[in-house]
Amino acid sequence: MHEVKMNRKKDKGFESPRPFKLTHQVVCINNINFQRKSVIGFVELTIFPTVVNLNRIKLNSKQCRIYRVRVNDLEAPFIYNDPTLEVCHHESKQRNLNYFSSAYTAAVSAVDPDAGHGELVIKVPSELWKQGDEMNVLKVYIEFSLDQPKGGLHFVVPDVEGSMAERGAHVFSFGYQNSTRFWFPCVDSYSELCTWKLEFTVDASMVAVSCGDLVETVYTHDMRKKTFHYVLPIPTAASNISLSVGPFEILVDPYMHEVTHFCLPQLLPLLKHSMSYLHEIFEFYEEILTCRYPYSCFKTVFVDEAYVQVSSYASMSIFSTNLLHSAMIIDQTPLTRQCLAQALAQQFFGCFISRMSWADEWVLKGISGYIYGLYLKKTFGVNQYRHWIKEELDKMVEYELKMGGVLLHPTFGGGKDKDNPTPHLHFSIKHPHTLSWKYYKMFQCKAHLVMRLIENRISMEFMLQVFNKLLSLASTASSQKYQSHMWSQMLVSTHSFLKSISNVSGKDIGPLIKQWVDQSAVVKFFGSFAFNRKRNVLELEIRQDYTSSGTQKYVGPIKVTVQELDGSFNHTLQIEENSLKHDIPCHSKSRRNKKKKIPLMNGEEVDMDLSAMDADSPLLWIRIDPDMSILRKVEFEQADFMWQYQLRYERDVVAQEESILALEKFPTPASRLALTDILEQDQCFYKVRQGACFCLAKIANSMMSTWTGPPAMKSLFTRMFCCKSCPNIVKTNTFISFQSYFLQKTMPVAMAQLRDIQNLCPKDVLNFILDLIKYNDNRKNKFSDNYYRAELIDALTNSLTPAISISNEVRTVDNLNGDVRLILEEITRSLNMEKLLPSYRNTITVSCLRAIRMLQKNGHIPSDPSLFKSYAEYGHFVDVRVAALEAVVDYTRVDRSSVELQWLLNMVQNDPAHYIRHKILSMLGKNPPFTKAAESPLCNEALVDQLWKLMNSGTSHDWRLRCDAVNLYYTLFGLTRPSCLPLPELGLVLNLKEKKAVLNPTIKPEQGPDTTEMTGITMGVHIPVMGFTSSLDEGLITMETVSSVSMSSGVAPPPQGLKRKLDSVVGPLGSSSPEPGQVLQEEDTSKKFKIRFNTVEEDEIDMESPHDSQAFIHHHLNILERPSTPGKEPPAVDQAVLSLPVTPLPSSFGKESTSSSKHSGDHHHHHHHHEHKKKKKKKHKHKHKHKHESKDKERDSHAFSNSPASGRSVRSPSMSD
Amino acid sequence: MADPAVMAGGFSAVVGRSGGGKATSSPAENYQLARRRTLQVVVSSLLTECGFESAEKAAVESLTEMIQSYISEVGRCAKAYCEHTARITPTLSDTVVTLIEMGFNVNTLPVYAKRSQRMVITAPPVTNAPVIPKALIAGQKRTHPSHIPSHFPEFPDPHTYIKTPTFREPVSDYQVVREKAASQRRDVERALTRFMAKTGETQSLFKDDITAFPLIAARPSSIPYLSALLPSELELQTLEETDSSEQDDQTDSENTLYFLNYDDPGADKENSMLPPGGVVPSVKASEENMIDNPYLRPVKKPKVRRKK
């Protein structure tokens, strides 16, 4: 806790980073032109200077054209500079991601409103700052326009006849985190609150929906337009302001007249149905929070081409129109309700209560996610809730184990001690805008899970009291005048939240916070046990893996539940440093023959058939951490019969799901029986039963040779869903019972996974599915069967197996396999019928496209992307497009098609729908055409340049997209210089060499115990060595800028550029080497180094004490901390040290990069000349390996994170007075 | 003389001739050929009478054609006259009127008939009159009721007006019904989609045979969400059907607030009938007083105050 407190010292009160305080802002948009997609307006900010002589005002503004700025009616000069437009300047040939990430972070920091920066710098006229000591109010008036905005505002203008209103044209604001600056100048920070007046003049046929209360609507004088006047008296951050304009249909909520819903023309009936339960969500939140909804009104707007499904702003939320559904639709209903509940939870925490800084984001996301969970529990039941928690936990754990930890509360100690708390990531978590989207999703996930842990610790009652306290403080503050200085109470911080918890509950949750909030990573347990009959004791062993990436060590209590014959018992064990074994005394004296009911945890008493169990042991099953009160993954070993008992008799759905997963490994008749019983039990939670279907299919496949009876699930399905008189015909659909409905949907899909001895889907099963399709009859059903039919198509897809054929045979109609022909006929018919009678959300088209891709992939029909490309075009329903794009992405990978990759990347740049662009990149990242680990003809210089350009400047209008591009780049090329780039020029060698001469004397004395990275410099020689090994690519330029920094500290970060190239040359050797992100055991590397450097003359390097040197490096880095210009020479770093310009000599060694003779000749240290001519490649390998090891440490990322921010961007635009 | 069969004969003779003198011919054709031959004889004898010694076959044919047309026209007109006067059999006067109408001087006819050098023509060979194929006998042929004179046309064949209900034992076997419904639907769907595919643009999965498994081409729409979200008319129909049957229990269980229950269904209908883009709340003009929502308030006229 002490440490925790230390960390948050600065959190105590809110200190604005700005020399002024914003109190009120007017936004007036007088003209919105749908034809030209342009907007004209002005803003007026009322600010109070908090310093004397306020001479410049920094505001945020992106892509706005600013016509004039006036401060108190005096024209004011201004400078507009947005360093994020182009992160690395184009003269740079730098192509490594480390470099980019740090430059990008620096660029974002340079305009970060939370640090008081901004793109727009206004010089206050000198007349005004002379009177500054009186602290007068300043009114900053800015006229601006937007022309075809690429971000911030999205215009949807369908290309049909008629007026804009008839066409359903609309526009709405969007963005990821604080993105309001894209559409009007403001202080785009969640911590700068002010009151608002918003005016929008729109066509008379349109409605403008925005935040706050609609005070009046007035026609313009020509009566052709009207102006909507909104007032938002509650202090609100600009980032929470939004707008949407369109010919919306209006629905006043019948239960709550202050709530208004808006949808696009013709969708009103759907809107009515979809919104009919919103009031329940309102009631729920108001009740648990014992607090009224903070705003006087609420608006929901449903728009097309939404950026995300749900986005919340002050007193309004913007949703995707695709959430609307009619009463006939089953599957979408819970999803839509969940989206509404999320939106509403964020109204309280996120919009009304805002955050102090980005580091406090987790509190808001955590609370809103947590109360949303409570809503789920109440509406969808405890089973659904626990299932959801497990799902979220698994998802998050999987991510952290794969990618390294997710850190909820990053502390950046002023850049001093911890520059990068997450060195394992390829992006910075310092700003929301540099985060990978997936990471942010997992971040939200973890946040609400941690809230749940806090609840476990302090009880729900206290938890809700804390929320209530935050809300009531905020609502008191919100009604005060600015002068009361109370508005900051509407901002939540980690500190204030924790203080509130401690005040309310009196409990110390410090360790919990330290473990899960201040620290990233999760816990990985392995459990096994033995029963000691003599002592009647259960000997439980719980081990942990805390060395792999994304894991941490857990010390503390853990709950273990043991189900014995005599009942269920909870034990709390203490996980300590060195104790693995825990003895748990058993209550039951082994097994008795007496027939007696067995009491379960929930008090229920059941009869069990105990014949399966071990006669000597009273244990039925054991569960570790059953309440999921640790963020962990548990791998527990117990006998198959124990899993079966657990599946049958444990009432917790999480336990049931765990046992289903475990039973996959036990393909026995007993498992089969247990699963079948669960399938038949209609009291069992439907998702468990769905899981059981898939497990049963897997088991059946493993038991293939001993399986008796009809194919798994067939007779069950027949009994449940087919007619009594004719068992091959399915009953006409009614879908009255949703549980059965979901089961009916799932079973065929699972059955289609069955395989016979030839590894084909059994004929029986295929015919059965075809019959289901044939006899499907929905005429008497009040629900739509579109999802069911789609899943039947999915079942057909699942039944496909690779075609047997002679290689390179052209796929023709004639040699189509008979079964496949039947399948294809169904698919063709369904897909064609969709054109005539489209299904809801075109689910069937989506399934058909997937099926066709599967047919192609399995070699039944010719592989061809053109069909998918036509479905992927703009103008199809978004789900269809995504499915088609997924197929194209898959095709690109399988067929290594550069044409399709280009086509996809074009779409990323040009598609009107932001969601689609994002989706393409994330699908490419998930299913990459190639990866850094493998060679591919697609991997070429042009592609590197293209992607580089995309993330460097092509995506500056959309933070999310830029981060997606970064992710893709990372997946394809890794952190270092892509291997496909030609070896760069060697100009640097000379530099380094000469520098060495200069540096050596200076450095030598400083050489402390060095790190692996220090190899280069520790012995003067090493600079050239290093330069040599890296063979001086452009990568080195950074490296070099860094090294110029670090050299003075005696550290040369290992170059990385070459690694991949050489990897590919080296082959197995290279591929076995760890990726940079991985943490190596320091000892290992250093040993390697020792070996390596024995070939070098001056060895005697002490590699064993890396930590000190780390600190040392940091120390020096911080001394030197300053931005440098990427691609240009680093700005005067210690001139004394760096006597020569570091710019690489242009191509002095040009193409000779591959033949290393020249530079090795220059360095003549350890490489054997005679080898050169014979085996250049080998040579490379050798050298490379050398360098490569040193680089694995990658500690240089520290260095990088400091260096390359563009000078222009980091320093505020040069108004150097 | 002016028998309808003549006309028919003339026609079919033409047809028969153009058919290229087939050896085999039906009785009806034989009958007509015989008549035609008689006409040719008549033409030839008339030519002889006029002093010709020989004639080209083509000329005889043309003259035969002319004479046949003439006689046919006389017959047709005479028939028309007789029907005009509500009779079914032409009388002498009908024929006379016809001849006059055709510009023939009737008075010369007796003289011409009694001319001396006329040749006597043998009667056409006896051929069986063509048998009119019997229509399907269905039911009793009705005779005229007493108030209709017998010269009026007879009733047409009964099959043209009577209805014969056909019954088959309704198929009650559930399996067969389902089977039928399923295959019927499938056939309809297949035919429909094939038709659409044939008449429109298609995409194909195979390169060798683009007609196998034709897919109706994907066509982007300008407002794709409408068709994807709104239930199709077919679905709406089913919904209405099922709704009407289940409305009762639904209203009981679901809508506890009967105030809403009261105005919701009505409002629903009104709205669904609204033209697209129509502003809904105006419909509920009467309720506006109750619901105070800023979006329902009337738009204000621009105020006199001017913006500075």
Side-chain angles (χ1 to χ4, degrees), chain B residues 50 110 114 149 158 214 216 298:
Chain B
C50 297
K114 287 172 190 158
I216 302 174

Side-chain angles (χ1 to χ4, degrees), chain A residues 160 216-217 219 230 257 260 268 272 299 730 774-776 779 812-813 826 829 832 841 867 870 875, chain B residues 174 178-179 185-186 189 203 208 214 216 221-222 225 228 231 235 238 250 271 280 293 295 300 303:
Chain A
V160 279
E216 57 178 3
T217 317
Y219 277 114
Y230 285 91
H257 293 167
T260 321
L268 190 69
K272 272 194 167 185
K299 288 138 289 185
V730 67
K774 180 177 168 193
Y775 292 117
N776 179 46
R779 283 173 302 179
T812 57
V813 185
E826 286 305 333
R829 197 171 46 85
N832 283 339
R841 294 194 74 151
L867 178 78
S870 71
Chain B
Y174 185 75
R178 288 294 301 276
E179 172 76 50
R185 199 198 50 201
R186 166 169 307 216
E189 285 184 7
Q203 288 164 320
D208 56 326
I216 302 174
S221 106
S222 5
Y225 61 85
E235 282 178 306
T238 12
Q250 256 189 341
N271 288 324
V280 183
N293 182 295
Y295 294 93
K300 291 182 187 167
K303 283 177 192 154

Side-chain angles (χ1 to χ4, degrees), chain A residues 1194-1211:
Chain A
E1194 281 307 322
R1195 285 300 148 83
D1196 57 315
S1197 52
H1198 299 294
F1200 277 106
S1201 61
N1202 258 348
S1203 60
S1206 121
R1208 275 174 261 162
S1209 49
V1210 172
R1211 290 175 191 156

Side-chain angles (χ1 to χ4, degrees), chain A residues 811-814, chain B residues 204-214:
Chain A
R811 310 287 162 207
T812 57
V813 185
D814 298 330
Chain B
S204 172
L205 297 171
F206 290 91
K207 290 183 186 96
D208 56 326
D209 182 358
I210 52 166
T211 53
F213 304 105

Side-chain angles (χ1 to χ4, degrees), chain A residues 899-1160:
Chain A
V899 178
E900 267 62 47
L901 186 59
Q902 275 311 314
W903 184 84
L904 286 168
L905 290 176
N906 272 346
M907 198 174 252
V908 168
Q909 277 156 300
N910 301 323
D911 198 80
H914 294 274
Y915 177 72
I916 292 291
R917 300 172 175 207
H918 156 70
K919 205 65 194 164
I920 295 174
L921 284 183
S922 60
M923 287 190 297
L924 277 174
K926 223 182 264 172
N927 191 5
F930 58 91
T931 60
K932 48 191 178 273
E935 279 286 303
S936 167
L938 295 180
C939 178
N940 56 40
E941 198 178 352
L943 181 68
V944 175
D945 283 345
Q946 190 180 11
L947 275 177
W948 183 268
K949 213 178 135 203
L950 187 67
M951 63 184 192
N952 191 35
S953 54
T955 46
S956 60
H957 53 276
D958 185 348
W959 308 115
R960 179 174 75 175
L961 197 63
R962 177 171 258 165
C963 297
D964 291 335
V966 169
N967 259 354
L968 179 62
Y969 194 89
Y970 174 69
T971 317
L972 298 184
F973 308 118
L975 279 175
T976 52
R977 189 184 162 81
S979 64
C980 54
L981 295 191
L983 289 181
E985 299 110 33
L986 302 175
L988 216 61
V989 183
L990 287 179
N991 287 339
L992 283 172
K993 193 183 171 193
E994 279 168 286
K995 207 180 298 158
K996 162 202 131 195
V998 183
L999 281 175
N1000 263 338
T1002 349
I1003 293 168
K1004 274 213 164 164
E1006 288 186 7
Q1007 269 178 34
D1010 65 356
T1011 41
T1012 51
E1013 299 109 288
M1014 292 174 71
T1015 48
I1017 299 171
T1018 26
M1019 336 146 239
V1021 201
H1022 303 115
I1023 300 175
V1025 166
M1026 181 196 72
F1028 172 80
T1029 47
S1030 73
S1031 91
L1032 316 161
D1033 56 329
E1034 293 116 359
L1036 250 199
I1037 300 170
T1038 4
M1039 209 235 48
E1040 198 223 3
T1041 53
V1042 173
S1043 66
S1044 58
V1045 174
S1046 48
M1047 270 181 234
S1048 63
S1049 65
V1051 178
Q1056 355 177 325
L1058 240 203
K1059 179 196 161 228
R1060 290 213 48 216
K1061 186 68 184 182
L1062 292 178
D1063 273 356
S1064 51
V1065 176
V1066 172
L1069 195 150
S1071 57
S1072 64
S1073 61
E1075 285 304 322
Q1078 281 174 322
V1079 182
L1080 264 189
Q1081 295 297 338
E1082 318 251 349
E1083 290 78 14
D1084 289 355
T1085 357
S1086 50
K1087 266 176 215 150
K1088 281 179 196 161
F1089 273 108
K1090 270 188 175 164
I1091 297 159
R1092 206 120 283 132
F1093 280 90
N1094 287 338
T1095 62
V1096 186
E1097 306 103 344
E1098 305 134 39
D1099 353 20
E1100 299 308 318
I1101 319 150
D1102 172 16
M1103 309 250 178
E1104 306 302 334
S1105 48
H1107 295 292
D1108 295 23
S1109 51
Q1110 289 291 316
F1112 186 70
I1113 297 163
H1114 282 305
H1115 175 69
H1116 278 265
L1117 288 179
N1118 290 324
I1119 290 173
L1120 295 173
E1121 184 184 28
R1122 68 164 52 78
S1124 57
T1125 315
K1128 287 182 150 189
E1129 33 202 281
V1133 183
D1134 277 27
Q1135 289 296 353
V1137 180
L1138 186 67
S1139 54
L1140 277 175
V1142 265
T1143 327
L1145 293 184
S1147 69
S1148 53
F1149 293 89
K1151 301 301 167 195
E1152 279 160 2
S1153 46
T1154 36
S1155 78
S1156 44
S1157 59
K1158 203 157 184 180
H1159 58 251
S1160 56

